[in-house]
Amino acid sequence: MNNQPSTVNQVVNIRNLNHFFGAGKLRKQILFDIDLILNSGEVIILKGPSGSGKTTLLTLMGGLRSPQSGSLRVFGEELVGARKNKLVETRRNIGYIFQSHNLLASLTAKQNVQLSLELHDYLHRAEIEEQAIALLESVGLEEHMNYRPQNLSGGQKQRVAIARALAAHPKIVLADEPTASLDSKTGRDVVELMQQLAREQGCTILIVSHDNRILDVADRIVELEDGRITLDVEQSASH
């Protein structure tokens, strides 16, 4: 099992977390007694079969859904029982990358990234454009900045999504099946790019995936099965 470091390095600390969907006779438990720590600067792959609870756990960590019981601390703040504005505040420090990209079809690649930066009112218009261009260049899309999503390939759209997720220098990047709709080479490129860019920014990356071809990019592998953590191991430095 992963050694528990000092709390200074912990960006997520989950203890005895249970989660249910539905109510009454339809109430079904999805997560069981989850204990998990994510440390600053780590790359973690969360794997497991479909329906094991991976996406539910990711959405709880990301403040996209309210945790119901146990303890879930993100950046030192308890999210169990937290008000909606606390969840919104938490989300501002998290970058999200989804399998479906979630790009706005009416906006260009550059405008999609700029939109993420505009949520931060300390940046001027010129700085926002400059940063969006720099990020798209860093993901190899300097010649596609003014393309709309329908004119981009799956891999290019995922690169825009990565640039957008990293735009505001998040402390955590949560990626849900980012390679699922990509061929093996493009998927590999996307994950290595995510790893490189996030390491340059010093943030923690959690990748939800059942793609065994990308496991070697992770510092740690966590496995979820039937809503329970069955594995949590560090990978050797030589991987």
Side-chain angles (χ1 to χ4, degrees):
M1 296 295 280
N2 187 54
N3 294 329
Q4 293 185 7
S6 71
T7 54
V8 176
N9 295 322
Q10 296 173 4
V11 289
V12 176
N13 188 326
I14 302 173
R15 289 276 168 253
N16 196 32
L17 183 72
N18 294 281
H19 198 75
F20 302 82
F21 285 156
K25 288 183 179 176
L26 296 176
R27 192 170 190 247
K28 184 183 178 190
Q29 189 161 0
I30 304 297
L31 297 175
F32 298 81
D33 302 320
I34 299 294
D35 288 340
L36 182 65
I37 289 171
L38 304 188
N39 306 311
S40 182
E42 275 188 312
V43 178
I44 304 107
I45 288 183
L46 177 62
K47 59 176 292 201
S50 295
S52 59
K54 302 186 302 294
T55 296
T56 300
L57 183 55
L58 179 140
T59 57
L60 289 167
M61 278 188 231
L64 298 171
R65 182 179 272 138
S66 296
Q68 298 161 341
S69 70
S71 174
L72 197 168
R73 300 180 75 84
V74 180
F75 314 129
E77 299 285 343
E78 180 61 68
L79 298 191
V80 174
R83 293 179 183 275
K84 192 175 179 183
N85 63 342
K86 174 62 72 179
L87 297 178
V88 171
E89 200 179 301
T90 300
R91 291 200 291 267
R92 286 195 177 130
N93 288 302
I94 297 175
Y96 303 92
I97 302 168
F98 300 101
Q99 179 187 337
S100 57
H101 320 300
N102 289 3
L103 300 177
L104 293 173
S106 61
L107 300 182
T108 65
K110 186 171 77 171
Q111 288 168 334
N112 267 282
V113 177
Q114 283 177 292
L115 196 63
S116 176
L117 288 163
E118 282 165 4
L119 297 173
H120 298 265
D121 51 17
Y122 57 84
L123 288 172
H124 298 298
R125 167 67 54 187
E127 288 178 298
I128 287 172
E129 184 168 11
E130 197 177 294
Q131 285 195 30
I133 290 169
L135 276 158
L136 287 165
E137 284 175 348
S138 73
V139 298
L141 289 178
E142 54 273 4
E143 296 186 5
H144 296 83
M145 290 189 194
N146 297 313
Y147 285 47
R148 288 192 165 80
Q150 66 265 31
N151 298 317
L152 296 171
S153 69
Q156 287 168 337
K157 283 189 273 202
Q158 198 61 293
R159 285 165 181 262
V160 177
I162 291 169
R164 184 184 58 185
L166 293 172
H169 294 271
K171 295 175 185 173
I172 303 174
V173 171
L174 300 175
D176 193 6
E177 298 284 3
T179 65
S181 58
L182 305 175
D183 64 71
S184 58
K185 184 187 183 308
T186 307
R188 178 89 202 172
D189 290 347
V190 158
V191 170
E192 286 181 352
L193 179 65
M194 201 188 312
Q195 177 192 41
Q196 174 201 334
L197 292 174
R199 282 205 165 140
E200 285 170 6
Q201 294 191 7
C203 70
T204 302
I205 322 171
L206 177 74
I207 302 171
V208 169
S209 182
H210 50 251
D211 184 350
N212 288 332
R213 297 167 301 187
I214 64 168
L215 295 182
D216 61 306
V217 304
D219 300 310
R220 265 168 73 203
I221 306 289
V222 176
E223 195 156 339
L224 201 62
E225 198 163 332
D226 297 327
R228 301 175 192 274
I229 290 181
T230 56
L231 181 77
D232 183 353
V233 291
E234 288 185 11
Q235 301 218 90
S236 66
S238 61
H239 72 266

